[in-house]
Amino acid sequence: MKRFIFTLLAGLSVVTAGHAAGASLNRQALLDSILRNNTTLTALRQQVVSGKAENRTELRLPDPDFDFAYLWGSPTGTPARKDFGVSQQLDWGTLTGQRRRVARTADERLERAYDVEVQAIVAEADQALVNLTYYNRLCAELQRRAALAQEMQALYDKKFAEGDIDRMALNKVRLNRSMATAELQRAEAERQDVLATLRRLNGGREVVCHDTLYDAAPLPALTDFLTAVSARNPTVAAARAAIDEGKAQVKLDRTLALPALTVGYTGEYIKGQNYSGVSVGVSLPLWGNGRKKVEQSKAALAGAELDLADATAQLTSEVERLYATALRLRQTADQLAADLAATDNAPLLRRALDAGRLSLPEYLLELSFYYEARTQWLEAERDAQLARSELLTMLPYGSL
């Protein structure tokens, strides 16, 4: 029994860094699967396809107009008249290519808006994977603690049967085992909840991940990261795309404010008299509708430019905050790991128990303090990784 306790405590006393490059590969594979299977992204992708098709519905000239009239003559004997006409309105936006440029910028805006949704899904999934890794680590730890508690109860059951201990001591050990089991069951339930979240994100498909190691890649320098985020953050990119579309729309509206031109062929046919020729029509911009539309598109462009400025400022502030938080939490986790390794009392407790300087209840009390320290270390590791995940997922997936 003593050999079992010593071996178990030796396993608990080893403080690992909790990071590995292999964890990054598994994370990437899981995120790839989620991006393929996520039903929300599938629906959004179809909406992008539909939106692009809609952007191309007005890229051709309007359909030509055809007119035909048969007019009976009056009084009796007056020959009938037949009128015939074909006309085509010339759309300056189509002829100059302005509509096509607006369509291209609108397509780009749809793609960047889709990237924003991808970023949100990746961020949620990555946070869930960090939590899953934490619960994998915690459950493995709690399983060892529960096994030790079960073995201690078996030992005390035997001692009680032999009359070496009283009922109070036995109840204390049984309660210790019950608490260890309950803690493990609660952690398992929380782990299953995280798996359910990942299953939902993965389109209902099961996610299998037993990782107990976090991504070990260091954070980039703050200045480099700010530069990368400013250039590639999906929200900022979507704001830039909206500005490009707004500029193209202003040019199109200015072009459409020009007088519209219609050309065609007209014929008038009366018995013995035929008239035919070219017809030309010009719209008269008397009411200022085109001018008002240009003013509206300019106002929309100004709003888009303000949105970009706000998004950039908010992003810079948020990156600086998250970066500082991630560094502080990483330092806290590393310091706690170092302190835990330097002040590990497990071997000392073992020798004190063997020498009879500690009773088993005292030993359990000291052990519970050690357990609490290790749990806090696991939580600190998770919090540091969550902060790191929140920071890095501000970039498009796969850019780092």
Side-chain angles (χ1 to χ4, degrees):
M1 177 61 193
K2 290 182 178 180
R3 182 181 295 112
F4 169 81
I5 294 175
F6 178 76
T7 303
L8 191 58
L9 288 177
L12 288 174
S13 64
V14 176
V15 181
T16 59
H19 304 274
S24 178
L25 297 176
N26 195 31
R27 165 188 174 273
Q28 182 175 343
L30 289 170
L31 290 177
D32 286 343
S33 173
I34 287 171
L35 291 180
R36 285 194 308 270
N37 300 324
N38 185 267
T39 54
T40 299
L41 292 182
T42 300
L44 289 174
R45 186 72 254 173
Q46 184 58 42
Q47 291 176 20
V48 170
V49 173
S50 173
K52 287 184 176 182
E54 183 180 356
N55 292 337
R56 279 156 176 71
T57 56
E58 297 183 0
L59 296 185
R60 298 181 183 275
L61 289 172
D63 293 331
D65 293 328
F66 172 80
D67 296 319
F68 176 78
Y70 185 91
L71 306 177
W72 287 271
S74 180
T76 303
T78 302
R81 191 180 79 185
K82 295 182 273 302
D83 292 344
F84 168 83
V86 177
S87 63
Q88 173 66 60
Q89 183 180 7
L90 302 181
D91 181 82
W92 298 123
T94 301
L95 295 176
T96 60
Q98 297 289 352
R99 289 191 184 276
R100 188 167 297 278
R101 280 189 282 273
V102 170
R104 284 199 298 267
T105 57
D107 289 350
E108 182 69 13
R109 177 182 55 78
L110 287 173
E111 289 290 350
R112 301 294 74 78
Y114 176 77
D115 289 344
V116 171
E117 297 301 326
V118 169
Q119 180 196 30
I121 295 295
V122 169
E124 183 182 1
D126 200 50
Q127 293 272 306
L129 288 173
V130 170
N131 279 316
L132 181 59
T133 301
Y134 163 74
Y135 282 114
N136 287 342
R137 291 159 64 91
L138 180 61
C139 288
E141 176 96 4
L142 295 178
Q143 285 171 355
R144 291 191 291 267
R145 298 179 191 179
L148 176 58
Q150 181 63 42
E151 291 294 335
M152 286 184 172
Q153 179 181 325
L155 175 63
Y156 266 59
D157 284 340
K158 182 179 179 181
K159 287 187 175 184
F160 180 75
E162 295 172 352
D164 294 338
I165 61 170
D166 57 17
R167 172 64 67 175
M168 290 182 61
L170 178 62
N171 289 343
K172 183 177 295 185
V173 173
R174 286 182 173 178
L175 182 60
N176 177 68
R177 190 270 309 161
S178 178
M179 291 172 61
T181 301
E183 192 173 4
L184 173 60
Q185 291 173 344
R186 183 172 63 250
E188 285 285 1
E190 292 169 348
R191 179 178 178 275
Q192 290 301 318
D193 184 64
V194 175
L195 282 171
T197 297
L198 288 169
R199 184 167 58 249
R200 170 180 60 81
L201 292 172
N202 199 34
R205 294 172 173 82
E206 292 294 335
V207 172
V208 179
C209 177
H210 301 291
D211 282 354
T212 56
L213 301 172
Y214 295 120
D215 190 353
L219 288 177
L222 178 57
T223 53
D224 295 339
F225 190 74
L226 275 172
T227 300
V229 167
S230 298
R232 291 181 285 173
N233 178 263
T235 301
V236 172
R240 290 197 184 100
I243 288 178
D244 292 340
E245 183 183 12
K247 290 178 178 178
Q249 188 65 49
V250 168
K251 291 180 180 179
L252 173 62
D253 290 339
R254 282 174 176 167
T255 302
L256 295 179
L258 298 173
L261 182 66
T262 301
V263 297
Y265 173 85
T266 300
E268 182 179 297
Y269 304 97
I270 305 174
K271 185 176 181 181
Q273 301 179 35
N274 297 329
Y275 303 90
S276 61
V278 177
S279 64
V280 178
V282 178
S283 66
L284 301 178
L286 295 179
W287 317 123
N289 291 328
R291 185 174 65 255
K292 292 294 184 183
K293 195 166 185 180
V294 171
E295 292 175 356
Q296 185 274 329
S297 60
K298 284 183 176 180
L301 174 59
E305 290 172 340
L306 291 175
D307 287 341
L308 174 60
D310 177 65
T312 302
Q314 295 287 345
L315 184 66
T316 300
S317 176
E318 186 68 1
V319 166
E320 291 174 346
R321 182 188 69 82
L322 288 175
Y323 195 92
T325 299
L327 285 182
R328 285 195 299 269
L329 291 175
R330 182 72 265 158
Q331 290 169 358
T332 298
D334 291 343
Q335 184 62 51
L336 188 53
D339 292 344
L340 193 57
T343 59
D344 180 13
N345 279 337
L348 300 177
L349 291 173
R350 169 62 184 162
R351 287 196 292 269
L353 180 64
D354 288 344
R357 295 193 302 271
L358 278 180
S359 65
L360 198 51
E362 291 173 330
Y363 179 76
L364 289 175
L365 180 62
E366 293 292 335
L367 196 59
S368 67
F369 178 76
Y370 176 69
Y371 285 168
E372 177 63 24
R374 281 189 62 84
T375 300
Q376 288 190 18
W377 167 66
L378 291 174
E379 292 174 353
E381 285 279 334
R382 176 200 58 188
D383 294 343
Q385 199 68 16
L386 286 173
R388 180 182 184 277
S389 168
E390 187 176 1
L391 179 68
L392 294 184
T393 51
M394 300 181 87
L395 285 173
Y397 173 58
S399 61
L400 274 182

